[in-house]
Amino acid sequence: EVMASKNPNIRVTFFLTKEDNVPVGYQKGRLSPVKIVEEVRISSIVTNVEYFICGSIMFVKDMRDGLRKSGIDDELIYTEAFFSH
């Protein structure tokens, strides 16, 4: 939120998966590629959108595959995966 408050080109959306009462401004449910694409298309007037994904290997793979299925070009998707112990 701090970074977004300092830069009008950054928008933050929080997804809460285990909360029954979700505060205003938050999304209820799990983050998905479809929701990401919807959020970007609804809120963005920018045409040069890039997607940065960081997380576990399976999360990154699922998000990348889902973005591709949603019509996002590979050149616009950047990933970083980490291993858990």
Side-chain angles (χ1 to χ4, degrees):
E1 278 186 62
V2 173
M3 191 182 307
S5 69
K6 294 179 181 181
N7 187 330
N9 294 320
I10 296 175
R11 183 168 182 271
V12 176
T13 303
F14 293 98
F15 290 83
L16 302 177
T17 58
K18 296 182 181 182
E19 298 291 327
D20 290 328
N21 298 316
V22 177
V24 174
Y26 288 68
Q27 295 273 340
K28 182 177 174 118
R30 193 164 285 287
L31 174 68
S32 72
V34 171
K35 289 181 182 179
I36 292 171
V37 172
E38 286 174 1
E39 284 287 316
V40 170
R41 289 189 177 145
I42 290 170
S43 66
S44 180
I45 59 171
V46 179
T47 56
N48 58 341
V49 176
E50 297 174 315
Y51 299 81
F52 294 83
I53 306 165
C54 181
S56 68
I57 292 171
M58 285 308 297
F59 174 80
V60 169
K61 180 188 175 309
D62 290 346
M63 291 295 122
R64 183 181 192 120
D65 291 348
L67 287 172
R68 286 176 177 161
K69 288 178 185 173
S70 295
I72 305 302
D73 291 331
D74 271 341
E75 300 83 38
L76 301 175
I77 304 170
Y78 299 87
T79 64
E80 181 177 340
F82 55 79
F83 297 87
S84 60
H85 297 283

